[in-house]
Amino acid sequence: MEGIKVLIVEDEASIRKFVRINLERNRFTVFEAESGEQALELFSLVKPDVVVLDVMLPKIDGFEVLRRIREVDNNVIVIMLTAKSQDMDKIMGLEIGADDYMVKPFNPLELIARINTIFRRINKDNVQKQELKSHNIKVDLESMKVFKDDKEINLTPKELEILLFFIKNEGRVLSRNDILDYVWGKNYFGEVKTVDVHVRRLREKIEDDSSNPKYIETVWGYGYRWRREK
């Protein structure tokens, strides 16, 4: 998508070059970093829209880079690159604040498709509406900011998409696959536990007590439901 800035953080030059070529062919503006330190410097300078972040980096690893990014920016989309069998890396990245992950080796066209899907979902809301509201949660659809009792809550792009999907389907039971298809796209082949991690993070941010949620109800063995406002 033209105008979108992508920062690739990967210590293997051949992978960076391969990904960059494919992104630039699709009219992305691309920046490269070969270390965590360089990534953090470039992040503050270029303010990318998307960060493609390898977990295994020299000195400062990808997890620490992600933590530092999330300390200053909850809106940038972060896609982690993990080794084929490292399930714990995927879970840890999602817990810290990654929006998505891809397993190496991967097809750059799939990366492009995932980035495009995220931006389409974020920008798809009805332009006639200025806001979505349920209970004391409000989403300003112009600024894409979320408020609880008029106090802003910082959500990552994936958390925001899930919240919008819940509110639009208030009272309806949504399966994990429903959420996965809507937020990540029908061609996404990740694991459904990705949904659980993101919902848990969303609860921690919007619920008064995440262990006793009043907004997002768990429907055991199936999925979740956003409770209707009484």
Side-chain angles (χ1 to χ4, degrees):
M1 295 175 73
E2 189 171 5
I4 291 178
K5 296 182 287 186
V6 181
L7 172 59
I8 306 168
V9 187
E10 165 63 62
D11 61 333
E12 293 188 37
S14 59
I15 295 177
R16 290 200 314 273
K17 181 179 180 181
F18 185 51
V19 174
R20 177 173 194 145
I21 288 172
N22 282 275
L23 287 172
E24 289 182 337
R25 282 176 179 167
N26 285 268
R27 308 184 76 176
F28 291 88
T29 301
V30 182
F31 302 87
E32 295 181 34
E34 62 182 3
S35 68
E37 296 93 332
Q38 187 180 16
L40 292 169
E41 289 177 10
L42 271 174
F43 183 83
S44 62
L45 286 173
V46 305
K47 301 188 185 316
D49 303 294
V50 181
V51 179
V52 180
L53 177 60
D54 189 26
V55 169
M56 300 300 293
L57 294 170
K59 296 183 180 178
I60 301 177
D61 67 16
F63 296 131
E64 182 60 25
V65 173
L66 177 58
R67 286 189 188 95
R68 298 191 192 183
I69 285 175
R70 286 299 180 226
E71 286 175 359
V72 298
D73 193 330
N74 266 302
N75 296 315
V76 64
I77 294 164
V78 180
I79 300 174
M80 302 289 286
L81 303 180
T82 70
K84 187 171 184 179
S85 60
Q86 298 301 311
D87 286 343
M88 285 308 298
D89 283 353
K90 302 169 191 174
I91 294 171
M92 188 178 298
L94 294 172
E95 291 280 9
I96 295 170
D99 294 291
D100 203 351
Y101 63 85
M102 296 192 67
V103 177
K104 295 194 291 185
F106 62 90
N107 187 334
L109 296 180
E110 182 185 353
L111 173 63
I112 291 165
R114 291 197 189 184
I115 293 172
N116 287 338
T117 295
I118 291 171
F119 278 98
R120 278 198 300 270
R121 292 297 182 197
I122 291 174
N123 295 325
K124 195 178 179 180
D125 296 282
N126 190 335
V127 295
Q128 300 300 318
K129 294 184 179 179
Q130 294 301 309
E131 67 180 33
L132 282 178
K133 190 173 182 181
S134 181
H135 302 274
N136 55 341
I137 303 292
K138 179 179 73 175
V139 183
D140 184 314
L141 296 177
E142 184 174 355
S143 64
M144 299 308 287
K145 292 182 178 180
V146 179
F147 301 88
K148 178 181 178 181
D149 294 325
D150 295 323
K151 181 179 180 180
E152 186 175 354
I153 301 171
N154 290 317
L155 302 182
T156 66
K158 276 288 185 289
E159 292 164 358
L160 174 59
E161 290 181 71
I162 292 171
L163 177 63
L164 288 171
F165 191 43
F166 278 145
I167 294 176
K168 290 175 183 177
N169 291 277
E170 185 181 64
R172 176 187 165 198
V173 179
L174 301 171
S175 72
R176 289 172 174 81
N177 283 323
D178 288 335
I179 299 168
L180 203 65
D181 287 349
Y182 179 85
V183 176
W184 281 267
K186 291 185 180 296
N187 294 322
Y188 180 74
F189 296 106
E191 302 169 33
V192 292
K193 65 184 177 185
T194 299
V195 173
D196 296 325
V197 174
H198 280 82
V199 169
R200 183 165 65 249
R201 279 176 27 208
L202 179 59
R203 277 176 169 161
E204 289 170 354
K205 293 182 179 182
I206 67 171
E207 299 280 3
D208 295 330
D209 179 2
S210 60
S211 62
N212 186 29
K214 69 176 184 180
Y215 306 119
I216 305 171
E217 175 187 3
T218 298
V219 180
W220 295 106
Y222 192 77
Y224 301 95
R225 172 169 47 209
W226 184 269
R227 287 192 172 101
R228 287 191 183 278
E229 189 171 7
K230 296 179 181 179

